[in-house]
Amino acid sequence: MSTLITVLKGGGRYDATWVERLARGVRRHAPAFTRIRCLTDGPLAVAGVERVPLRHDWPAWWAKMEAFRPGLSDGTTVLCDLDTVFTGPADALAEPGLAAMEDYFHKGRLSSALMRWEGDELAELYARFAAEPGRWMTAGSCGPVPNAVHGDQVVIDHLLRRDAVRPRFFQAIAPGLLDFYDPRRDAHGPVVVFIGASKPDTARGAVHAAWTAPA
């Protein structure tokens, strides 16, 4: 069984509509995922999506650290940001094997926008963070890093490096699978990742059409 996990933390830009549209894209273009789960601190009623309550009140992107909680899945698991758009065949995401997206700005470092693991393989990330969340949320806790913003992926990258765990990058495993949204062109895909200020709700053309396409 392959599980796709996303996280919806209340109080920000995202709401249930983003979960619904992500789930539609997954069902349409990545049917190898037999389960979609959303970790959230609010009510959620989206067809085909299992609501899983967040256990901690970790702010903003830090809530994503709960995706590594043990027991959330027993097979191939993919953490996927809500601002991801599927426009074409993407079952390659559901293939087994530890992997992550390579950061767009910092080559050789991972991004938590897309990560893949097996069962409880990365449960230690959750355990370490949950033991000292205040420490890890503090800028500088991971030593010198190239990132301008201290966030969850900085901590994830740091902890995995400390354990000599180096996920393979999706860009190397499946060239052409990931694409970064560029408003200067229309064709994108099959998995469109947004960076910077761009988001699916402000995208244009084929990407926006794919994001809003009915079930």
Side-chain angles (χ1 to χ4, degrees), residues 71-95:
L72 288 180
S73 70
D74 56 6
T76 301
T77 306
V78 170
L79 171 62
C80 181
D81 276 358
L82 284 170
D83 59 346
T84 306
V85 178
F86 289 74
T87 64
D91 273 345
L93 277 179
E95 295 175 359

Side-chain angles (χ1 to χ4, degrees), residues 4 21-30 33 78 80-81 84-91 93 114 177 188-194 206-207 209-211 213:
L4 184 136
R21 289 180 175 175
L22 176 64
R24 285 180 188 174
V26 171
R27 287 194 294 267
R28 184 180 296 114
H29 297 296
F33 287 105
V78 170
C80 181
D81 276 358
T84 306
V85 178
F86 289 74
T87 64
D91 273 345
L93 277 179
L114 282 166
L177 177 65
H188 287 79
V191 180
V192 187
V193 178
F194 286 75
V207 174
W211 188 61

